[in-house]
Amino acid sequence: MHDLAQLRALHAVARNGSISGAADALHVTISAVSQRLAKLEREVGQPLLERHGRSVRLTDSARLLVGYIEQILLLLGEAEASLEGQKGAVAGTLSIAAFPTAARGLVSGTLRGLREDYPNLRVEFTELEPEESLPRVVRGDVDIAVVQDWFTSPLQIPDVLMKEHLLDDVTDVALPAGHPLADRETVDLSELANDPWVTWSVGQMCHNWLLDTIREHGVQPRIAHTAAEYATQLALVAGGNGVAMIPRLGRDSTPSGVRIVRVEPVLSRQVFALWRNEAVRRPAIRAAVEALATAAGQ
């Protein structure tokens, strides 16, 4: 019978594309992963990895085996959830992933509350965008993912996941203090048709959402600058370089030189917690979702 650590090592290589990536995911050394894979190859009597430049590629035998490993890990997760549910204790290890603003606005307080209420529970957090965290929850690599779902661009959630609505996060517009509309209480998107925009980096979900949303309101946005972090976007706005959409969740303090103005029509996104169906039996899952909901309510 193959050692579970060996099977997890091959599974991690398949998911992360390299031995170093697998080592990071498993929180072990590269040498440890290599040793486990070498032992597994000897036991199955077939090569499992092929060198491909600086990376590795799974052989056909390895891909076949990984399919069975995924089933084993899912069954193991179900067994652990059932046992933990029977025991009723909020303990063990729980992994949470969330996009950056939720990490600041929701998860930080949630982790503090869980630490105080459940000292026997160890929570591991990773900052991930929804397109990264969602498949990891499906595979069982992450227990809970906090994701965003723009009303104009709904997130496709697989049937194998459960969800809890945490909050609706309203988005405002950040204007340079000298902007002609900076003293207004509200602005219409159409009034910003000729302004240069500061937005998220190309490829990020929020970047695409901004383009689609503004176009829906008859404005063709002129993207002048992109930055992944809100603090950088606001600094660019403060310098008079453009305007930016800034959600309220996890918003940092507004720098001098920037005015935050409400947008008409109101733009918002839904924020959800996601977890696997079978994991609902785990007391730790229920406790964490409740803590997230409490943080959202505050």
Side-chain angles (χ1 to χ4, degrees):
M1 181 176 179
H2 303 306
D3 185 277
L4 186 59
Q6 298 170 19
L7 300 180
R8 288 188 186 277
L10 181 60
H11 184 260
V13 171
R15 289 291 164 260
N16 294 278
S18 68
I19 293 176
S20 61
D24 290 339
L26 296 172
H27 305 293
V28 299
T29 64
I30 293 175
S31 175
V33 173
S34 297
Q35 290 175 19
R36 293 173 189 178
L37 293 172
K39 187 174 181 181
L40 183 59
E41 280 191 328
R42 290 195 298 271
E43 291 182 358
V44 300
Q46 299 181 57
L48 299 175
L49 299 178
E50 298 173 341
R51 288 290 173 186
H52 186 65
R54 294 186 176 181
S55 61
V56 293
R57 184 164 53 192
L58 271 64
T59 64
D60 290 341
S61 297
R63 283 192 288 271
L64 176 66
L65 183 55
V66 165
Y68 286 104
I69 293 173
E70 290 181 342
Q71 297 179 47
I72 292 169
L73 294 178
L74 283 174
L75 287 171
L76 182 61
E78 290 182 14
E80 290 174 344
S82 296
L83 287 171
E84 193 173 323
Q86 264 194 341
K87 185 172 60 177
V90 180
T93 301
L94 184 76
S95 56
I96 299 177
F99 59 97
T101 49
R104 293 196 298 273
L106 286 179
V107 177
S108 178
T110 297
L111 296 183
R112 182 177 61 252
L114 290 173
R115 187 173 62 252
E116 294 171 353
D117 295 340
Y118 307 105
N120 294 322
L121 177 66
R122 182 165 66 91
V123 183
E124 299 174 346
F125 170 72
T126 305
E127 183 181 286
L128 293 173
E129 293 292 345
E131 61 269 22
E132 300 172 298
S133 63
L134 194 152
R136 296 194 188 194
V137 176
V138 172
R139 295 196 304 263
D141 298 336
V142 168
D143 293 315
I144 297 175
V146 180
V147 301
Q148 58 185 335
D149 183 10
W150 295 100
F151 283 101
T152 55
S153 182
L155 189 66
Q156 300 302 313
I157 300 175
D159 293 338
V160 296
L161 299 183
M162 299 183 71
K163 69 178 182 179
E164 173 83 11
H165 177 263
L166 298 176
L167 60 92
D168 289 341
D169 184 29
V170 175
T171 296
D172 302 307
V173 65
L175 304 175
H179 194 281
L181 305 177
D183 293 330
R184 295 263 295 275
E185 290 188 6
T186 62
V187 298
D188 190 283
L189 276 178
S190 63
E191 296 180 275
L192 303 172
N194 298 320
D195 283 274
W197 282 89
V198 179
T199 186
W200 295 269
S201 301
V202 176
Q204 287 187 292
M205 176 185 293
C206 294
H207 178 95
N208 297 331
W209 165 81
L210 178 69
L211 294 180
D212 294 341
T213 299
I214 296 179
R215 285 167 180 159
E216 280 187 2
H217 291 85
V219 178
Q220 179 59 39
R222 176 165 59 90
I223 305 300
H225 310 285
T226 61
E229 298 293 334
Y230 288 130
T232 306
Q233 293 180 20
L234 288 171
L236 289 166
V237 173
N241 299 294
V243 302
M245 288 292 192
I246 305 292
R248 295 177 184 175
L249 177 63
R251 183 184 295 172
D252 296 321
S253 58
T254 304
S256 60
V258 174
R259 298 291 181 270
I260 302 295
V261 181
R262 295 196 303 273
V263 175
E264 292 291 345
V266 174
L267 303 177
S268 65
R269 58 181 175 177
Q270 299 180 86
V271 179
F272 290 102
L274 302 176
W275 64 94
R276 295 187 309 282
N277 292 338
E278 71 276 3
V280 72
R281 295 191 294 269
R282 292 182 59 190
I285 293 285
R286 296 196 297 270
V289 173
E290 289 173 4
L292 284 166
T294 299
Q298 295 171 349

